[in-house]
Amino acid sequence: LCIKGRFGHDFVHSDKRIKTPLIKKNGVLCPVSWDDAIGYVAKRFQEIKKVYGGKAIGGIGSEKCTNEDNYVFQKFCRQVLETNNIDNLSNMRSPFLNKLIHKSIVHAFTSTTSLKKIEKADTLFFVGSDVTEAHPVIGTLARKAIRLNKADLVIANMRNVRFDSVAKNDIRLIYKPGTQAPLINALMKVIIDEKLVDLKRVEKATDGLRELKSLLKTVTIKKASQITGVSEETIKMASALVAKPGNCYIVCGKDIVEDPSGPDTIKTLMNLCALINASSSPKADTGKISLIFSRLNNNSQGANDMGVVPDFFPGYLDIEDQSNRKRFEKSWDAKLSETITNGTAFNIIDLALKDT
């Protein structure tokens, strides 16, 4: 069994599981057959669509369904129901994240390979992530990297999260709430000032080193320590571990992606990745430093990858781009409704509350 299967099987035998479809009759949910339930839902969809149009229907995909299920769900909504009012809870919590993940993939910052690569890490950097509590699979792989690959560990969190390890170098950065971006800027400041990476190679490989230096010009380790509550010495030790030769995996957790300052923090982490990756040897693995977004549920990423969002087709293809629209019309052998556009920044719950 996989790690989750070994410990997360109790729900299968729970007496609270719903085993048959339910339809509300006279205010009471009553068990019905699958044929009756499917027939009833199909009839109501037809009635609503005929009177109000497809845009009156909305759908919320599941972060606990397979990629195949979510792909068919968004296709059904767009092709059959003729609505683009679709979303999933992870996107509603962090509507900025998909675009940033796509950007980080384009720039080779985000790892698109198996999580098992974590086992080969030389450094692990957890930012706003409690892997023991929220991501036991990543936690198990990380402990294996520490035990068998002698990986170093850096944990940055506003709480003193529990993660027992035998890492020779185990640095904890317990920062004040809302100061994660200044903390990461301080790490980059140390890396640049102390030349922990080959700055000449960075300058040749990127166009933004001067801009980054200018951005960090006012950053001092002393001031960063005062702002974040992390000691100067700890910031310096963490910088050295993150910048050291070898493969580093940054695990970015929900404390970052669901925080109002999440976009700024993630962009700062991407700058950190660019700084270190650009300095590495061309012969080095392209995953020298990689971002991993440890989203809340078992297939939060898959639901977004499959296009269960209002602004992207599957594969993060812009829904407003007519060439993408024609591509899916050809693939699905169907003409998509003119209402299949992003149209608004409101999430599906806001739209329902506004009765639009």
Side-chain angles (χ1 to χ4, degrees), residues 110-117 249:
T110 294
S111 176
T112 56
T113 57
S114 168
L115 284 177
K116 281 187 70 65
K117 289 277 188 178
Y249 284 88

Side-chain angles (χ1 to χ4, degrees), residues 93 96 180 255-265:
R93 285 189 292 262
F96 60 85
Q180 52 268 32
D255 287 355
I256 301 299
V257 301
E258 294 184 12
D259 188 91
S261 64
D264 291 334
T265 305

